[in-house]
Amino acid sequence: MRVIAGKWKPLILYFLAQGGTTRYGELRRAVRDVSDKVLIQQLKELEADGLVKRTDHKEVPPRVDYSLSPLGRSLAEALVPLCSWGTEHMAEVTRVFAQREAWNTRTRQTDRPD
């Protein structure tokens, strides 16, 4: 679980599994709302863990591709049932998140000092 810990790593693995070899810009557009700094950090960690392969084409302008290593592909395959579960239960999970947000909002309002 440690190699996929965090908000962005499972998404990065998912998009790399879907698209095969992917340029950085494509990955950046696919993984919405992540900053460049965080995306680069997460990619470096995935590469260091042997899940992602980075290919620098040594061109001007710079061109860097990312793909899953064999280990990364096997992990992506293991995540498929989890993704299926999320898809099957999306309505329920959305409802639970909405309830949690409403509860958090009420809690914050009652915790405010007068």
Side-chain angles (χ1 to χ4, degrees):
M1 292 304 289
R2 208 161 81 193
V3 295
I4 60 168
K7 182 176 181 178
W8 305 109
K9 287 181 184 179
L11 283 175
I12 292 167
L13 292 171
Y14 171 80
F15 286 116
L16 288 175
Q18 300 302 306
T21 300
T22 306
R23 293 187 65 178
Y24 176 80
E26 294 173 87
L27 197 53
R28 175 71 175 85
R29 285 186 294 278
V31 184
R32 292 183 229 145
D33 299 329
V34 66
S35 69
D36 282 316
K37 177 185 174 187
V38 170
L39 180 57
I40 291 167
Q41 176 187 1
Q42 299 286 278
L43 286 165
K44 284 181 180 181
E45 290 176 11
L46 289 167
E47 183 183 11
D49 291 338
L51 300 174
V52 169
K53 181 182 171 199
R54 180 182 187 270
T55 304
D56 185 348
H57 294 277
K58 309 270 189 228
E59 295 176 355
V60 177
R63 183 167 68 109
V64 177
D65 295 331
Y66 293 91
S67 59
L68 293 177
S69 68
L71 183 63
R73 276 192 299 279
S74 69
L75 177 57
E77 290 170 11
L79 292 174
V80 168
L82 183 61
C83 294
S84 297
W85 180 90
T87 302
E88 291 169 17
H89 297 90
M90 178 126 7
E92 293 170 71
V93 171
T94 301
R95 182 182 49 75
V96 167
F97 285 159
Q99 288 175 339
R100 183 188 307 164
E101 182 58 32
W103 183 83
N104 286 339
T105 300
R106 284 193 307 272
T107 301
R108 284 191 297 266
Q109 290 173 350
T110 59
D111 288 346
R112 277 192 268 176
D114 291 327

